[in-house]
Amino acid sequence: MDKEEVFNPLKYFNYEVLNDAEFGEDSVREEIIFPIIKSLGYNSYGGNKIIRSRSLTHPFVSIGSKQKKINIIPDYIMEIDSRPSWILEAKGPKKNILDPKYLEQAYSYAMHSEVKALYYALCNGKEFVLYHVSEYKPLLHFKMEHLPFYWADLKRLLSPDQLLSNCDKYNKLNKDFGLHLKRLGFESFKGLHFLQVPVISLTKLNNDLYTFATTIKQEDEYCVSFDFNHNTFLNMKGKIPDEALFKLIEPVTDSITQVRFVDMRYYVNIRCELGTSLEENRDEIFMPLIINEFL
């Protein structure tokens, strides 16, 4: 291993103190998180800046016809040349940083219209976890005692001189809207409504599964995949040309059936909910929205 790989900003920290009932979230921030952020190349001043406990203006994230209230004071926002690049949330040692409510909280900060960070992380003194906003699985997750072995990865992903250049692959595809909803905790919401959704093609995957993908604007631009069954598909009568409707009604035999609207796009109003399973292709992981009704 080279010198960078075994560097440890917490070399003299005694992990036994994490068992002390008085070692809480504030102590995690001061004795664990700040030395890490500082060692990554961020300061309280200058171009690579640490912003502590910035109050954000809007207390809601809006999704279609729904609003989700968020806690609006992130612990740390790291800026590179005045651009928010990643956020870090501190938790006490007894808190589980993989608890969905804490992941939703951190993600909502990262995606807030006043932040729009690329990464979000959580640390409770015992563990550290890091996500990219476009990924469902964590990029890094390790016990803090193993920090020296992950330091090179942290530097590669989060240091100011490398962070932005390492995000090129994420700029090729729009973020998936289903994953965005899941990260915000919207799976418990029923009856999400979207108006004037553009349809440029429709695909029949089997005799009871149809799908189409499109882009929608929701502060950011997202790619979204909508799935629906045969009965719901029949609601599209009058919304797409009859020729396309009849072609897609025909039973699927050896391959999928697809209709593309080359000359124009059609717009539909949708009532839907978040799906329950992740889908994957060679480029991305995504979560479809399930259409309950075309309005």
Side-chain angles (χ1 to χ4, degrees):
M1 294 184 180
D2 60 34
K3 183 176 291 187
E4 184 184 38
E5 288 179 308
V6 296
F7 176 77
N8 184 6
L10 302 179
K11 182 178 180 179
Y12 300 106
F13 180 75
N14 180 3
Y15 287 94
E16 294 290 331
V17 75
L18 293 171
N19 298 317
D20 188 330
E22 295 185 340
F23 193 94
E25 183 177 313
D26 288 345
S27 298
V28 170
R29 294 183 195 177
E30 180 180 346
E31 298 200 35
I32 296 176
I33 290 177
F34 181 68
I36 291 173
I37 297 173
K38 183 85 171 176
S39 297
L40 284 171
Y42 298 90
N43 292 284
S44 300
Y45 54 87
N48 305 321
K49 193 173 181 181
I50 305 169
I51 309 295
R52 294 174 175 84
S53 302
R54 173 186 285 173
S55 294
L56 305 177
T57 304
H58 305 291
F60 293 94
V61 174
S62 298
I63 302 294
S65 60
K66 302 287 186 179
Q67 286 189 322
K68 183 175 178 65
K69 191 170 184 178
I70 62 171
N71 193 339
I72 53 173
I73 306 179
D75 290 331
Y76 297 93
I77 301 173
M78 268 55 71
E79 291 187 342
I80 301 174
D81 295 331
S82 300
R83 173 184 171 182
S85 297
W86 63 287
I87 68 102
L88 197 158
E89 276 300 293
K91 299 298 175 187
K94 293 183 180 180
K95 299 290 179 66
N96 176 12
I97 58 173
L98 297 181
D99 187 312
K101 66 175 177 288
Y102 298 140
L103 293 175
E104 290 167 15
Q105 178 189 37
Y107 178 80
S108 71
Y109 295 156
M111 296 303 296
H112 194 280
S113 60
E114 295 173 31
V115 181
K116 292 188 177 180
L118 299 170
Y119 297 93
Y120 59 102
L122 298 94
C123 179
N124 62 1
K126 295 181 177 180
E127 296 178 274
F128 184 99
V129 65
L130 173 70
Y131 290 85
H132 190 282
V133 293
S134 295
E135 297 280 352
Y136 181 67
K137 297 178 181 179
L139 299 177
L140 294 175
H141 180 209
F142 56 87
K143 293 182 178 180
M144 295 306 298
E145 293 98 322
H146 300 158
L147 176 61
F149 304 104
Y150 287 90
W151 185 250
D153 292 320
L154 277 179
K155 290 279 286 184
R156 174 177 54 82
L157 292 167
L158 298 178
S159 64
D161 59 337
Q162 296 189 57
L163 186 149
L164 298 181
S165 63
N166 284 335
C167 291
D168 289 343
K169 73 170 186 174
Y170 297 105
N171 295 328
K172 296 177 183 177
L173 295 169
N174 288 328
K175 294 185 286 292
D176 179 69
F177 194 62
L179 283 181
H180 177 60
L181 292 178
K182 183 172 178 61
R183 279 297 186 214
L184 288 172
F186 271 85
E187 62 260 46
S188 60
F189 285 79
K190 304 294 183 182
L192 293 169
H193 291 75
F194 296 90
L195 304 179
Q196 294 296 289
V197 177
V199 182
I200 58 175
S201 70
L202 287 167
T203 301
K204 185 173 184 177
L205 300 174
N206 61 49
N207 290 324
D208 198 37
L209 179 59
Y210 298 76
T211 189
F212 72 92
T214 189
T215 57
I216 60 173
K217 189 77 173 177
Q218 198 84 32
E219 292 186 344
D220 246 336
E221 193 169 74
Y222 294 87
C223 182
V224 58
S225 177
F226 289 103
D227 288 357
F228 46 102
N229 63 25
H230 181 71
N231 286 336
T232 303
F233 167 72
L234 295 178
N235 294 159
M236 296 197 82
K237 183 175 176 59
K239 298 176 174 63
I240 61 174
D242 285 346
E243 182 182 357
L245 187 79
F246 296 145
K247 181 177 180 179
L248 289 164
I249 285 176
E250 290 294 320
V252 171
T253 53
D254 296 330
S255 62
I256 65 173
T257 303
Q258 186 173 65
V259 172
R260 293 184 178 275
F261 305 114
V262 178
D263 298 328
M264 65 178 297
R265 62 179 61 186
Y266 295 87
Y267 293 86
V268 293
N269 299 327
I270 288 170
R271 180 175 64 83
C272 64
E273 60 189 65
L274 189 61
T276 57
S277 61
L278 292 170
E279 306 289 339
E280 186 171 2
N281 59 35
R282 66 180 184 179
D283 295 318
E284 61 179 338
I285 296 175
F286 61 99
M287 178 164 280
L289 273 61
I290 307 302
I291 297 177
N292 305 122
E293 184 181 6
F294 288 101
L295 305 172

